[in-house]
């Protein structure tokens, strides 16, 4: 595979997802560690191992699961299913097995999709001990009577669950949490695309001045965020904003899932970005199902964490099947999701109330190099109407985002105008 680094974020994200795709991840185990180690080559990442058996609120960190092999041989001795071909073939957290079974017994341990007979489903059995294989339904239908040999070389033992964090300090302790789940094996949109977008967002933020601090967490879904919250409760006080990034690379429209209260700065920011994008999009109200926003938004924490995704889980036919592969995610869609996240972050960073320092009638913009009309000396790339909006509205009570909303302009345009006015001494930021 050619994984030459690219300057183009979309290609770089797709390449990272494709490279991580073959690793067999789960809620614990070496596939997660290998994934996080690869991510740590892109951004600074601190890995934490939480021992099996650790009590976390109402839950317990499970035994660590690792798998080395798994196959089924038909009555003639031909290998008809092999974990080496696709890691979705073995039920996640499957117990080991080795022996001969009848077709009837085998079928009790086969998972398939009658409606999508060529695809391998993704199934797990974390909390009920079971062994099993996931296979195309067409294969199930083709099986003839006889004795089958089944073999799964896996183990559950006291080990640990691996969580990872990338913390980027800013000028203030006010924090943005970006969360991506790491527990799915060979599935691209859900959620290697989310991991790739989070990595690229971190890379972008490393290169810019930050007012806010950022905490990126990469953890298994549900048990990972529950564990992180249980072990780091004191850190949650600074978390004022956040996004759970999932299913970030398919060709569907961007969806933003609102926070529990629906009126946080991140809600305003994402709604504005999507509305001014001109792209088809969906704003989904909060509901207590989905990904780790469920844990962050539980009433004991009530963190203002929204969900950024393209197609929502369960709404696309490739979801949780072998069709969710690297071909299903597109570099330009990954880049589009990233761009919308970056724009939302720019709003969180830059939104503030300003004060017009010459509020009595309009200042003569030409004097300040801010008027581009005939004969004017224009010195920057800004929109004149945006200048007028900012000057008119900046009485110290209206923030730039509300001005952008009122003007029907992008926040970027309004922010650029505000910076130009500030540079000309016509505008000053209100102390917050
Ligand atoms: Zn999933």
């Amino acid at each position: 595979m050619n994984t030459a680094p690219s300057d183009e974020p979309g290609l770089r994200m797709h390449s990272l997802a494709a490279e991580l795709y073959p690793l067999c991840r789960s809620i614990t185990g070496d596939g997660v560690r290998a994934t996080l180690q690869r991510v740590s080559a892109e951004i600074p990442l601190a890995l934490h191992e939480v021992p099996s058996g650790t009590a976390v609120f109402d839950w317990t960190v499970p035994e660590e699961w690792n798998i080395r092999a798994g196959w089924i041989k038909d009555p003639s001795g031909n290998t008809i299913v092999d974990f080496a071909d696709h890691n979705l073939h073995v039920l996640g957290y499957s117990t080991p097995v080795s022996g001969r079974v009848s077709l009837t017994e085998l079928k009790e341990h086969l998972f398939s999709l009658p409606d999508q007979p060529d695809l391998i489903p993704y199934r797990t059995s974390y909390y009920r001990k079971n062994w099993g294989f996931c296979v195309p339904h067409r294969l199930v239908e083709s099986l003839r009577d006889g004795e089958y040999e089944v073999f799964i070389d896996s183990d559950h033992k006291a080990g640990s669950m691996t969580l990872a964090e990338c913390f980027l300090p800013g000028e203030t302790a006010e924090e943005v949490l970006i969360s991506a789940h790491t527990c799915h094996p060979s599935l691209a949109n859900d959620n290697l695309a989310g991991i790739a977008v989070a990595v690229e967002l971190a890379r972008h933020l490393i290169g810019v001045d930050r007012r806010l601090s950022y905490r990126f967490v990469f953890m298994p879904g549900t048990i990972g965020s529950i564990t992180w919250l249980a072990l780091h409760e004191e850190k949650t006080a600074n978390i004022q904003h956040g996004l759970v990034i999932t299913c970030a690379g398919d060709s569907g429209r961007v969806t933003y899932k609102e926070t529990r209260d629906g009126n946080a700065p991140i809600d305003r920011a994402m709604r504005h970005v999507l509305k001014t994008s001109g792209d088809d999009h969906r704003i989904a109200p909060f509901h207590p199902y989905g990904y780790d926003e469920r844990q962050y938004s539980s009433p004991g924490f009530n963190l203002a964490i929204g969900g950024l995704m393209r197609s929502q889980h369960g709404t696309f036919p490739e979801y949780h099947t072998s069709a969710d592969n690297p071909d299903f995610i597109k570099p330009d869609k990954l880049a589009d999701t990233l761009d919308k996240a970056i724009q939302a972050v720019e709003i969180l960073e830059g939104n503030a109330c300003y004060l017009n320092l010459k509020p009595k009638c309009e200042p003569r913009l030409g004097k300040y190099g801010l008027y581009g009309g005939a004969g004017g000396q224009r010195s920057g790339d800004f929109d004149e109407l945006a200048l007028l909006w900012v000057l008119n509205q900046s009485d110290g009570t209206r923030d730039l985002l509300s001005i952008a909303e009122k003007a029907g302009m992008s926040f970027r345009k309004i922010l650029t105008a505000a910076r130009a006015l500030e540079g000309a001494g016509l505008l000053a930021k209100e102390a917050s």
Side-chain angles (χ1 to χ4, degrees):
M1 183 171 25
N2 179 10
T3 54
S6 166
D7 289 338
E8 208 276 292
L11 292 175
R12 197 159 55 214
M13 288 185 279
H14 192 274
S15 164
L16 179 64
E19 190 184 335
L20 296 173
Y21 179 75
L23 298 173
C24 186
R25 282 162 294 274
S26 183
I27 51 177
T28 62
D30 291 333
V32 182
R33 286 187 195 100
T35 299
L36 295 173
Q37 256 139 31
R38 177 63 188 85
V39 168
S40 72
E42 302 292 323
I43 56 172
L45 207 59
L47 269 59
H48 307 293
E49 298 286 345
V50 183
S52 306
T54 303
V56 287
F57 298 125
D58 210 28
W59 299 61
T60 305
V61 173
E63 289 185 303
E64 182 176 328
W65 181 71
N66 282 291
I67 175 162
R68 289 159 291 275
W71 44 256
I72 305 172
K73 286 183 181 170
D74 71 9
S76 311
N78 303 310
T79 302
I80 54 167
V81 173
D82 195 341
F83 172 77
D85 295 335
H86 206 303
N87 61 39
L88 290 182
H89 273 318
V90 172
L91 178 72
Y93 260 66
S94 174
T95 53
V97 66
S98 178
R100 292 179 176 279
V101 294
S102 67
L103 179 59
T104 310
E105 188 182 351
L106 176 65
K107 279 188 171 173
E108 288 168 14
H109 295 271
L110 294 183
F111 301 87
S112 64
L113 299 167
D115 294 339
Q116 295 172 294
D118 296 314
L119 303 182
I120 310 167
Y122 165 52
R123 293 280 187 280
T124 61
S125 191
Y126 298 137
Y127 300 103
R128 191 175 82 82
K129 294 270 195 231
N130 191 15
W131 64 268
F133 292 91
C134 303
V135 296
H137 194 67
R138 235 176 260 298
L139 179 94
V140 179
E141 288 177 318
S142 73
L143 299 176
R144 54 197 165 86
D145 256 345
E147 218 178 37
Y148 288 77
E149 192 179 350
V150 290
F151 178 74
I152 293 174
D153 178 15
S154 65
D155 54 49
H156 301 75
K157 54 186 179 193
S160 56
M161 179 171 70
T162 316
L163 314 181
E165 275 187 63
C166 167
F167 182 68
L168 304 176
E171 288 162 29
T172 66
E174 184 180 339
E175 206 168 292
V176 183
L177 180 77
I178 305 291
S179 177
H181 65 270
T182 55
C183 49
H184 288 31
S186 289
L187 294 164
N189 199 35
D190 178 19
N191 192 37
L192 292 170
I195 294 171
V197 169
V199 166
E200 201 62 31
L201 180 60
R203 188 205 286 277
H204 166 81
L205 288 165
I206 287 167
V208 299
D209 290 337
R210 298 178 298 272
R211 183 178 69 82
L212 305 170
S213 298
Y214 294 82
R215 189 178 300 278
F216 288 78
V217 291
F218 299 89
M219 319 187 291
T222 308
I223 187 66
S225 52
I226 291 171
T227 301
W228 190 86
L229 288 166
L231 300 182
H232 302 288
E233 200 163 344
E234 79 292 347
K235 288 184 182 170
T236 61
N238 288 333
I239 298 172
Q240 302 295 313
H241 324 276
L243 288 171
V244 171
I245 304 182
T246 57
C247 300
D250 65 87
S251 297
R253 62 186 171 175
V254 169
T255 299
Y256 173 67
K257 176 179 171 179
E258 294 176 330
T259 66
R260 182 169 178 260
D261 294 338
N263 55 7
I266 187 67
D267 294 309
R268 285 184 68 203
M270 279 306 318
R271 283 194 293 253
H272 178 76
V273 169
L274 294 181
K275 264 184 210 158
T276 53
S277 69
D279 299 334
D280 187 19
H281 63 270
R282 178 165 177 253
I283 310 279
F286 179 81
H287 60 117
Y289 193 67
Y291 294 98
D292 289 315
E293 65 277 10
R294 295 154 65 173
Q295 314 309 332
Y296 302 128
S297 303
S298 54
F301 289 102
N302 196 25
L303 301 178
I305 311 288
L308 176 62
M309 67 208 89
R310 300 193 72 89
S311 296
Q312 262 185 302
H313 62 91
T315 63
F316 49 98
E318 295 82 359
Y319 175 73
H320 280 191
T321 75
S322 51
D324 183 2
N325 60 42
D327 291 337
F328 180 57
I329 60 173
K330 308 294 180 198
D332 62 319
K333 301 303 175 188
L334 291 162
D336 180 61
T337 311
L338 172 69
D339 179 59
K340 289 177 163 88
I342 288 175
Q343 286 189 57
V345 162
E346 283 173 1
I347 295 174
L348 298 178
E349 285 279 336
N351 191 30
C353 289
Y354 284 79
L355 196 61
N356 180 341
L357 300 177
K358 284 197 190 292
K360 293 184 175 166
C361 301
E362 289 176 357
R364 211 173 134 197
L365 295 177
K367 270 169 63 178
Y368 306 92
L370 296 173
Y371 183 63
Q377 297 290 311
R378 193 174 143 157
S379 60
D381 181 25
F382 43 79
D383 184 294
E384 282 160 24
L385 189 55
L387 294 177
L388 296 180
W389 270 111
V390 173
L391 283 169
N392 180 276
Q393 297 287 301
S394 292
D395 56 10
T397 68
R398 304 167 192 208
D399 63 19
L400 294 183
L401 183 54
S402 67
I403 298 172
E405 282 164 350
K406 198 163 179 133
M409 290 180 175
S410 73
F411 179 82
R412 267 182 187 168
K413 207 173 247 187
I414 292 293
L415 181 66
T416 303
R419 297 245 161 98
L421 290 166
E422 197 179 17
L426 294 171
L427 198 71
K429 200 172 184 173
E430 280 280 87
S432 53

